[in-house]
Amino acid sequence: MPIELENVSFSYGINTPFEKKALNEVNLKINEGELWLFIGHTGSGKSTLLNTLNGLIIPNGKVTVDTLQTNNKNTNMKELRKKVGIIFQYPESQFFLPTIAEEILYAPKNFDVDLKKEEIKFYMDIVGLPYDYLNRSPFSLSGGEMRKVAIISVLSYNPKYIIFDEPTVGLDYSTRKSVFNTVKKLNNMGKTIILSTHWISEFLELKPLVAIMKNSNLIFKGKFDDFIKLDQNFLSEAGIIFDEKLELYKKALLKNDKLKDKIAML
Ligand code: ADP
């Protein structure tokens, strides 16, 4: 099993007055090539869960990525981090080098990857960033362009699993669409994608698997169409509200109407 979480629990600030449970007995299997959307209220535990997947957070229980177990002291953490790339929320806040080219070359060097020019161009094509940006300062870019650079710096060391923590937060409509296209291309290339978001309907076309977090618990995991059919109260208590597109899709799905596939492409 490529990624497996078994009885995963985690609390912040243990034995302090601020102790806070963030994950409670989570069990989940993620197979190679799948695309998972993690949804639920802010504070429900999504980021914490994503951070357990590359050893940034070592929880109780067991997290296994391919053959690597995150809480095993013999695990090569560098190998794990290279396998599981995380694109954090507001990743642009981590830029510190003078040019985009240097920024892109920084991460692969850490993983002993010698990035070739053609590879940089390949990744720029995937995210939709013009080549002549390479000599610009990251700080001269718009928010959406910065996000693209941050995505390239993770793609640059070719991780097998790619985690996006709210990749479209704070972006305008057209950049959200382009992040969506990047996710689609990467998934079509066979990458396993794990993504937390508040914008479910943007990913409808890809029919992702869905995981719902609520108060540190994983309360649903399954196929997109099973998620769509969930009880409305159950969903709204988890902070999930369907927009018009999801409602239309649900109606077509319940009537077994082929129109649903057209709606998904809208
Ligand atoms: P989400 O990604 O769903 O918004 P998080 O995983 O960020 O949820 O947070 C889960 C819970 O853990 C929340 O109650 C949050 O306040 C708490 N939490 C998150 N990060 C920290 C931290 N660094 N220190 C203390 N508590 C935290």
Side-chain angles (χ1 to χ4, degrees):
M1 212 41 80
I3 294 186
E4 185 158 13
L5 289 90
E6 294 164 82
N7 303 323
V8 166
S9 297
F10 183 77
S11 295
Y12 290 99
I14 288 179
N15 296 331
T16 72
F18 310 104
E19 182 164 332
K20 170 79 199 144
K21 186 149 216 158
L23 294 175
N24 185 37
E25 298 288 322
V26 173
N27 289 284
L28 180 68
K29 284 178 185 166
I30 296 176
N31 293 305
E32 228 164 273
E34 287 178 345
L35 166 61
W36 279 86
L37 282 196
F38 275 77
I39 56 177
H41 278 299
T42 299
S44 57
K46 301 182 295 296
S47 292
T48 307
L49 191 141
L50 300 184
N51 286 334
T52 65
L53 302 181
N54 84 345
L56 280 174
I57 285 177
I58 308 283
N60 290 322
K62 204 158 126 187
V63 178
T64 315
V65 178
D66 295 341
T67 54
L68 306 173
Q69 216 176 292
T70 64
N71 64 352
N72 182 332
K73 62 176 175 8
N74 296 321
T75 294
N76 180 338
M77 289 315 251
K78 194 162 154 182
E79 186 186 353
L80 178 70
R81 300 242 156 97
K82 184 177 180 299
K83 229 180 230 296
V84 185
I86 301 193
I87 295 142
F88 295 102
Q89 289 178 28
Y90 298 107
E92 45 277 11
S93 62
Q94 293 153 36
F95 292 151
F96 66 102
L97 290 163
T99 65
I100 287 167
E102 286 164 283
E103 202 56 68
I104 292 173
L105 287 167
Y106 182 77
K109 259 189 226 144
N110 275 339
F111 291 112
D112 310 316
V113 172
D114 186 17
L115 199 63
K116 300 194 177 58
K117 217 173 185 167
E118 309 81 70
E119 289 171 309
I120 299 180
K121 287 189 169 171
F122 175 70
Y123 294 127
M124 291 180 96
D125 285 339
I126 289 183
V127 303
L129 198 69
Y131 303 151
D132 61 4
Y133 275 44
L134 281 172
N135 292 322
R136 287 176 59 172
S137 157
F139 303 102
S140 71
L141 306 185
S142 71
E145 290 166 338
M146 284 189 185
R147 194 72 53 96
K148 290 178 179 181
V149 173
I151 294 173
I152 297 175
S153 37
V154 170
L155 299 184
S156 65
Y157 51 91
N158 200 18
K160 178 172 168 189
Y161 305 101
I162 304 176
I163 296 173
F164 289 89
D165 195 354
E166 302 219 16
T168 55
V169 74
L171 298 179
D172 59 26
Y173 177 78
S174 78
T175 322
R176 288 211 310 267
K177 273 274 167 232
S178 103
V179 170
F180 164 79
N181 281 325
T182 301
V183 169
K184 186 175 167 181
K185 283 182 207 163
L186 292 170
N187 195 227
N188 285 340
M189 280 164 60
K191 298 281 186 197
T192 309
I193 312 274
I194 304 151
L195 196 149
S196 74
T197 188
H198 288 282
W199 297 91
I200 309 160
S201 72
E202 267 170 19
F203 296 92
L204 170 59
E205 184 192 325
L206 304 178
K207 298 281 182 67
L209 291 147
V210 177
I212 305 178
M213 296 291 300
K214 184 184 172 196
N215 295 336
S216 329
N217 292 288
L218 180 60
I219 59 164
F220 172 84
K221 53 188 168 189
K223 294 197 177 117
F224 195 84
D225 284 358
D226 294 332
F227 154 71
I228 287 287
K229 290 182 200 156
L230 287 171
D231 175 71
Q232 205 151 6
N233 285 334
F234 175 85
L235 288 169
S236 61
E237 277 169 20
I240 296 153
I241 294 160
F242 284 5
D243 63 7
E244 209 178 334
K245 185 172 158 186
L246 288 177
E247 286 294 354
L248 276 173
Y249 180 83
K250 181 177 179 175
K251 269 192 199 143
L253 178 72
L254 293 176
K255 281 197 285 185
N256 217 356
D257 188 335
K258 284 210 176 75
L259 203 61
K260 75 180 171 62
D261 297 322
K262 290 218 170 84
I263 295 165
M265 302 292 284
L266 284 177

